[in-house]
Amino acid sequence: MDKPLNVLGGALEPCSMAPLTGFYRDGCCNTGPEDGGRHTVCVIVNAEFLALSKYLGNDLSTPRPEYRFAGLKPGDRWCLCAARFMQAAEELAAPLVVLESTHMRTLDIVPLELLQAHKA
């Protein structure tokens, strides 16, 4: 199997092991057929994005021990759904993006220029 690529065409680098992120909880923004939300954008969350996400019904800041989730705080890296990144960008609340850790499949939804405009 080929190694996954990032949006720059290089090898996909890990996004975060603490907190552990990724659809497959492998620390990378890997994707596959079972990942309907396409959790492929490695972001560095900020307070504005966390507030928007909570407002939109996906509270990422509140700990959920039953899912072994400590809650995110500004500065944490996280594999975000590509469509949610687009929505956050439209609302002017997009977090910074780690391009080397953002999966190539993101480009099916988010233009490279938009990702580069939010480069960490």
Side-chain angles (χ1 to χ4, degrees):
M1 184 170 120
D2 292 333
K3 287 195 108 17
L5 299 177
N6 65 38
V7 294
L8 302 175
L12 184 67
E13 295 180 12
C15 181
S16 175
M17 297 304 284
L20 186 59
T21 191
F23 179 78
Y24 299 107
R25 291 300 189 260
D26 60 0
C28 291
C29 297
N30 285 310
T31 190
E34 18 342 268
D35 180 15
R38 195 156 310 164
H39 295 76
T40 55
V41 185
C42 181
V43 300
I44 302 171
V45 299
N46 57 38
E48 294 80 10
F49 170 75
L50 290 171
L52 175 67
S53 189
K54 186 174 185 175
Y55 172 77
L56 294 172
N58 187 18
D59 183 359
L60 296 172
S61 54
T62 300
R64 299 290 302 270
E66 67 271 27
Y67 298 115
R68 295 185 319 196
F69 180 68
L72 300 179
K73 60 189 180 316
D76 285 342
R77 289 184 177 204
W78 193 249
C79 292
L80 185 61
C81 293
R84 180 54 53 96
F85 177 82
M86 284 291 291
Q87 187 176 24
E90 290 166 3
E91 297 291 334
L92 304 178
L96 294 177
V97 177
V98 182
L99 296 174
E100 298 80 5
S101 302
T102 297
H103 197 284
M104 178 70 82
R105 292 292 310 274
T106 301
L107 299 178
D108 295 343
I109 296 172
V110 183
L112 181 58
E113 298 75 27
L114 182 59
L115 295 168
Q116 290 172 323
H118 292 88
K119 177 183 173 186

